[in-house]
Amino acid sequence: MSVLDWIVLVSTLTVIILYGIWKSRGRQDMESYFLGNQSMPWYIVLLSIIGTQASAITFISAPGQAYTDGMRFVQYYFGLPLAMVVLCITFVPIFHKLKVYTAYEFLEKRFDLKTRTLASALFLIQRGLSTGISICAPSIILSSLLGWNLYWTNMIMGGLLIIYTVAGGTRAVAYTQTLQLVIIFGGMFLAGWMVVHLLPADIGFKQALQVSGKMDKLNVIVTKFDWKDKYNIWSGVIGGFFLALSYFGTDQSQVGRYLTARSVKESRMGLLMNGLVKVPMQFLILLIGALVFVFYLYFRAPVFFNEAQLARVHKTEQGPALQRLEDKYNQLGAVKQQQVKELAVALEAGNNEQVAAAKQALQATDAAAQAVRTSALSVIKKADPTADTNDTNYIFLHFVVNSLPKGLVGLLIAIIFLAAWGSIAAALNSLASTTVIDVYQRLYNAHASQEHYLRMSKLWTLIWGVFCIVVAQFASGLGSLIEVVNVLGSWFYGVTLGIFMVAFYLKRVGGTATFWAAIAAEIVVLYMYWLNHVSFLWLNAIGCLLVVVFALILQLVLKTRKA
């Protein structure tokens, strides 16, 4: 990066840190540290919710996801608006009425301690692992840009985040996320505009969309039903609904966001506006990836987007073999550059026969290039068996670093850091609150002072931060991080949601039946994932329904035995 990029990057991050410290100044106690004194207006709640969702993974991995698989990933969010309505009707008023710090306190009031502890444990496992993966995302950027060791970068990034979160608590997180998102949305808009601006002079936004559509990158809606297809309208609406309902209704990292609102009305407004904003926001982020795909049809794309890994392989005995494949890939890239121009001309002329012929020729060349790329990945793996050959997370980063003007590169890198800080800080805060409120205070030390619990909260923020850094050390080889995080959540979210569904709607079912139903359902969900019978989104609906059915059956059995 240039000196200007470094100035923009450091200045942006410094302003955010100082702003967070300033907004969180004053006396702290448990209520201010975890709930922000329940003083947040709805628009701060909205931006805090979005900021917690929109991690660095969103801005690094989502454009790469669209580049490789098209925009059908957006269907993952189609169930979210309906979930927001259900949350506003059911979850929000109950949580506010009970004045809880965490969602899981309600479960003890409704069931018993063991059910509350189980739900807390499921959340802690899932969110701890997911947060570790989120730490890895910005670390990938630094290690790629500066050639730093990824493991040390994870430690540095995680350490900064721990300090930031321990110092400020949820108030700092909420207010800094507001400023972060303003910068993030502005920067992403500039990135999208620059993708089109950098295309040849005769190719505008309309033509770029047409080319992207012909190359099957604008596949927003997939109506074909397939249990194993990860992203179609059915899994998105049904599985996505259950996932969103669980994420926003039972995951403390999100529940903690809208519990900071100053009233039930403000919480509801924040959630409902999130339902309206999230789908178009994700659509636009994915659209940037589809446009980047068009950009690399007109300009040379590397055979592998993690160029630091390529450089390492070139220094091994596999270097000559990789160079030959790169040369062949570049030759096919030159052919694609000519063919995409012919496709654009045919599209502009409206000649369907020419469009069909040009599309077929371009797709054939692209398929040949992908075959060469597959061979190159094999060479990379042969040279370095530990190498991660999934470069989805590097595609948008490569475009930013190599194509954008000085200054804007620093801003886009700052955006990815800001997104990481907002979501990870909120997650660490929620992990600490659940540990202290639902485990430490309830099981080990119920009568200590507020000052003691505040100290323990900061200590557990530190402990969870260290745990997440350890997880981050193993996350770099998992492939598309945005997909990995969502798969991981689907292992647990459905079961946790099922516990709450029983609590809200099946008043005659007790804690013992629900506890064992949840354990049985979790085993079934993990076994189904291992067998790969259905795509991960369906696990959210299946897990929830299994808990409900098992709980009803077990309650009937227990009632019969008592009789």
Side-chain angles (χ1 to χ4, degrees), residues 275-306:
L276 293 175
V277 169
K278 181 60 179 177
V279 176
M281 172 186 136
Q282 199 66 42
F283 175 90
L284 293 174
I285 294 171
L286 289 164
L287 182 61
I288 291 174
L291 293 173
V292 168
F293 175 83
V294 176
F295 175 87
Y296 280 118
L297 288 176
Y298 283 96
F299 301 100
R300 188 186 75 83
V303 71
F304 189 65
F305 282 94
N306 185 352

Side-chain angles (χ1 to χ4, degrees), residues 40-278:
M40 305 298 177
W42 71 266
Y43 56 89
I44 296 292
V45 174
L46 166 65
L47 294 174
S48 185
I49 289 171
I50 294 175
T52 302
Q53 295 175 73
S55 67
I57 292 173
T58 302
F59 300 102
I60 293 176
S61 193
Q65 184 78 18
Y67 182 101
T68 57
D69 191 40
M71 293 182 60
R72 66 196 188 110
F73 181 77
V74 75
Q75 296 168 111
Y76 170 86
Y77 298 95
F78 282 1
L80 189 146
L82 180 59
M84 297 301 98
V85 174
V86 175
L87 282 172
C88 289
I89 294 171
T90 306
F91 288 65
V92 172
I94 291 177
F95 289 156
H96 269 275
K97 181 180 179 180
L98 295 175
K99 298 186 180 300
V100 296
Y101 284 98
T102 75
Y104 316 111
E105 290 180 76
F106 162 70
L107 294 178
E108 184 176 1
K109 298 177 187 293
R110 168 64 178 85
F111 293 129
D112 51 34
L113 178 58
K114 65 178 180 295
T115 308
R116 172 186 179 178
T117 305
L118 174 62
S120 303
L122 291 175
F123 163 73
L124 291 172
I125 294 168
Q126 182 273 135
R127 182 50 54 194
L129 294 174
S130 297
T131 305
I133 295 171
S134 297
I135 287 176
C136 187
S139 298
I140 286 174
I141 297 173
L142 273 182
S143 64
S144 178
L145 286 176
L146 305 177
W148 292 357
N149 179 279
L150 182 59
Y151 296 108
W152 282 106
T153 309
N154 280 328
M155 294 178 69
I156 294 170
M157 177 59 60
L160 290 172
L161 283 162
I162 290 170
I163 295 169
Y164 169 70
T165 311
V166 169
T170 198
R171 189 175 179 86
V173 171
Y175 275 104
T176 54
Q177 281 176 333
T178 304
L179 181 58
Q180 287 166 10
L181 284 172
V182 172
I183 299 171
I184 285 169
F185 289 144
M188 292 303 287
F189 174 81
L190 282 174
W193 182 82
M194 285 300 301
V195 176
V196 178
H197 178 72
L198 293 172
L199 290 170
D202 58 335
I203 302 298
F205 180 65
K206 176 185 174 182
Q207 291 81 3
L209 285 181
Q210 289 176 324
V211 171
S212 183
K214 291 300 178 182
M215 295 302 289
D216 298 326
K217 297 303 177 183
L218 301 184
N219 52 344
V220 176
I221 304 293
V222 178
T223 57
K224 182 181 178 182
F225 183 84
D226 184 350
W227 284 107
K228 291 189 177 182
D229 184 19
K230 288 179 287 189
Y231 309 115
N232 57 56
I233 189 71
W234 310 106
S235 64
V237 171
I238 301 173
F241 166 76
F242 280 93
L243 176 58
L245 194 59
S246 183
Y247 177 49
F248 291 97
T250 72
D251 188 312
Q252 182 60 24
S253 67
Q254 279 296 349
V255 174
R257 298 308 99 208
Y258 57 80
L259 284 180
T260 63
R262 54 194 176 197
S263 68
V264 171
K265 180 181 178 181
E266 301 280 350
S267 288
R268 284 171 167 166
M269 280 290 292
L271 284 169
L272 290 174
M273 289 303 296
N274 176 61
L276 293 175
V277 169
K278 181 60 179 177

Side-chain angles (χ1 to χ4, degrees), residues 4 13 16 41 64 95 142 180 186 209 257 308 380 410 466 518 520 534-535:
L4 178 60
L13 298 183
I16 289 293
F95 289 156
L142 273 182
Q180 287 166 10
L209 285 181
R257 298 308 99 208
I380 292 171
V466 173
V534 297
S535 75

Side-chain angles (χ1 to χ4, degrees), residues 365-401:
T365 306
D366 189 55
Q370 290 304 313
V372 174
R373 172 179 153 85
T374 301
S375 299
L377 297 182
S378 299
V379 170
I380 292 171
K381 202 68 175 177
K382 186 175 181 181
D384 181 6
T386 64
D388 176 18
T389 53
N390 186 322
D391 59 350
T392 302
N393 303 314
Y394 293 87
I395 293 172
F396 183 59
L397 178 61
H398 183 276
F399 167 76
V400 167
V401 172

